[in-house]
Amino acid sequence: MSLFLFPSKTTREMLKKFITVASLCVLSACSTVPITGRRQLSLVPESEIINLAQQQYRQVLDTSKVINSGAQAAMVKRVGQRIQQAVEQYFRQQNQSEQLAGYQWEFNLIQDDSQQNAWCMPGGKVVVYTGILPITQDENGLAVVMGHEIAHAVARHGSERMSQQQAQQVGGSLVSAALTGRSPAAQQLAAQAFGLSTSLGILRYGRNQESEADHLGLIFMAMAGYNPQGAITFWQRMDARENQAAPPEFLSTHPSNGTRIAAIQRELPEAQKYYTAR
């Protein structure tokens, strides 16, 4: 107990160093998420993330069955291009088009009915799996999904997650150094406490990103001419199709569907303004 209640001089010095490093990171390596204005840690250059994403995207396409023709593939490209235009319009209006530097948009449909999923890599590389289409049902429902995934990319959530992992590694190293010379029991107790807190922090961090992508996705789909009200019915359908009990929300990287729907309902009036303004 004395380790935490009465830290040694070495421990106090290590904590001071950790606070100093964290403060410098906050001051010198922060960016701002569009629309929400949230400040985020950004230790990894976006250009580096985009280059890595492009390589991974090619690998996915090379090892998957890409659908290049037909109504569904055309719909994926159409929805993607409309949301792309909305995103570019938003950043242009904010005089922040440089935030999209390096983006080379692609929208592909992959045949995999087992995957009820879609994603967007940094740089605008988007994949939609056929398994999500029965849930999206129509073009507006697909816009909900693609708007959300594209929002993850333009909000630079990938870079933020990597930056957080780097900060966690620094924190873990400092804790280990501060415990040098302590009993094995004290070291194990502190390591467990640190690991638990950082794990739960990462989960909460993931839920915050998901909620933020929901918010941005609503705006982008509305600017693209899709009715954001469709996000409610989409998530209701998603909730109805889940066949197994979800983990407790505090142990999940995603908010529960109920939490998600409630937040979207609060954000709909803002998104509707963009929709009706077209």
Side-chain angles (χ1 to χ4, degrees), residues 126-138:
V126 181
V127 156
V128 175
Y129 293 96
T130 54
I132 195 71
L133 297 182
I135 308 175
T136 59
Q137 292 189 352
D138 56 23

Side-chain angles (χ1 to χ4, degrees), residues 56 103 155 161:
Q56 293 179 331
Y103 270 62
R161 284 193 293 270

